[in-house]
Amino acid sequence: MSLLLAGTRFLLRFTPRSTDSAESLHAAIAKRGEAEAPIPASVRRRVDVTETTVQGRPVVRLTPRGAASGRHLIYLHGGCYTFGILTVHWNLLATLADRSGVTITVPLYGLAPTYHPAEAYALLDEVYANVVEAAAGRPVFLGGDSAGGGLALGQALRLRDGSVVGGAHGTGGGRHSTEIAPGDAPAPAGLILLSPWLDVTLSAPQIADVAPLDPMLGRAGLVEAGDLWRGDLDGHDPLVSPLYGDLRGLPPIFVHQGDRDILLPDAKQLARTVTRAGGRIELRITKGGFHVFVGAPWTREAKRAIRRIVAELRG
């Protein structure tokens, strides 16, 4: 473990946590102001940025300025389903696009408590259809961190089952409501999951052992965020907790996880379940790593993880 990683984790201990309790979460939601961090000028200098609207939600595309590979990644940001994309996300995604040659599409889905998972998945259905069309047969990956990682896995389950809804290929105009039959929607080439949130109930007994080591996340506030997001859905519904879904027949899954992350037990369970089901999953656990440590590029561990993600996207 590098000194920079240990030092960053130490400093995080002094950062107020919105997820310490249900009360602190609601207080942070009340103060969140602008939901989405603007795209930094430094990112716009590194990649070409295209901004459109799908179903009334912003969708951003980052295209490498070098030789684009033709591969695509649809990336869903984390934030407990209650907070918008951060500058650290934009910087990470620009790095991945620049180094891999992959074009990255970022749907900015609506946040709880105003929005519901059904609206997020409807948005993803249309975005996925648009990206598949643009990719013209080349690989399309799904990915995300934390809450976005759970949403990406949930979408992969829906694509496998043919339960997605076809959408218009435009910028928010009238959608079709035709169900896509099983097998009609091409499967993602793979899933790139960074510290994914796989069970909004956080019911694994092992979480109690990891929680004191996590400098970023508190269980009580996370459970409250999960309740706000799921609304009338059961906490074990695969749409919000894909860990409880049928995990057979999925594309290759690549998980990057730290061992000081409250979500580690569920990542381990995902790896066990997918392996038993005959699927391919690579779970890389970084010693000393905190939640989404990949977003700290000044650390040796994040640099190593980014190189691996680039290799995964290149295939």
Side-chain angles (χ1 to χ4, degrees):
M1 179 175 58
S2 70
L3 289 175
L4 281 175
L5 183 68
T8 303
R9 194 179 65 243
F10 175 76
L11 292 175
L12 285 170
R13 291 283 181 187
F14 298 96
T15 303
R17 304 194 308 182
S18 61
T19 54
D20 271 334
S21 66
E23 293 75 18
S24 63
L25 179 78
H26 283 278
I29 290 173
K31 295 177 182 177
R32 69 187 175 192
E34 292 296 328
E36 316 294 349
I39 304 170
S42 59
V43 167
R44 294 181 182 274
R45 288 193 293 269
R46 297 171 66 190
V47 295
D48 291 326
V49 178
T50 305
E51 302 176 64
T52 59
T53 301
V54 175
Q55 298 184 22
R57 298 299 307 170
V59 176
V60 179
R61 178 165 292 180
L62 309 179
T63 304
R65 290 198 169 163
S69 68
R71 293 174 172 240
H72 288 249
L73 167 65
I74 299 172
Y75 190 90
L76 302 163
H77 70 83
C80 309
Y81 295 117
T82 54
F83 302 106
I85 196 167
L86 302 172
T87 300
V88 67
H89 288 113
W90 293 125
N91 290 332
L92 172 61
L93 294 175
T95 297
L96 293 178
D98 182 47
R99 296 187 185 179
S100 69
V102 170
T103 298
I104 301 178
T105 298
V106 188
L108 301 180
Y109 57 91
L111 305 174
T114 306
Y115 291 85
H116 186 270
E119 294 165 298
Y121 283 116
L123 170 64
L124 290 181
D125 291 348
E126 187 163 346
V127 168
Y128 190 81
N130 292 346
V131 170
V132 166
E133 182 179 56
R138 291 181 287 268
V140 175
F141 294 81
L142 286 176
D145 65 278
S146 195
L151 199 54
L153 180 55
Q155 180 70 351
L157 294 175
R158 298 173 71 252
L159 286 164
R160 180 203 59 197
D161 296 339
S163 57
V164 302
V165 179
H169 301 290
T171 56
R175 301 178 63 253
H176 304 297
S177 58
T178 304
E179 293 287 332
I180 299 176
D184 284 357
L191 303 180
I192 311 292
L193 308 181
L194 314 182
S195 303
W197 190 11
L198 304 169
D199 174 10
V200 297
T201 71
L202 278 85
S203 55
Q206 299 87 345
I207 285 175
D209 298 325
V210 184
L213 306 176
D214 191 324
M216 292 185 64
L217 299 175
R219 184 180 184 279
L222 272 182
V223 171
E224 178 69 9
D227 286 345
L228 293 176
W229 176 245
R230 68 181 178 86
D232 57 355
L233 294 176
D234 185 271
H236 291 178
D237 190 312
L239 290 177
V240 293
S241 295
L243 190 62
Y244 296 103
D246 178 358
L247 299 176
R248 294 173 295 180
L250 291 171
I253 303 173
F254 305 93
V255 183
H256 296 266
Q257 181 74 49
D259 70 354
R260 305 293 183 93
D261 186 340
I262 197 173
L263 304 182
L264 175 62
D266 289 338
K268 289 181 175 180
Q269 182 59 48
L270 176 70
R272 288 190 293 266
T273 305
V274 170
T275 300
R276 284 197 299 264
R280 178 189 172 192
I281 184 167
E282 296 181 14
L283 170 59
R284 297 185 181 272
I285 301 173
T286 294
K287 183 178 180 181
F290 45 84
H291 187 61
V292 198
F293 71 92
V294 182
W298 54 88
T299 67
R300 181 179 66 209
E301 290 80 1
K303 292 176 183 177
R304 183 170 60 237
I306 288 170
R307 288 196 297 270
R308 286 171 174 163
I309 294 168
V310 167
E312 291 156 7
L313 290 169
R314 287 176 174 172

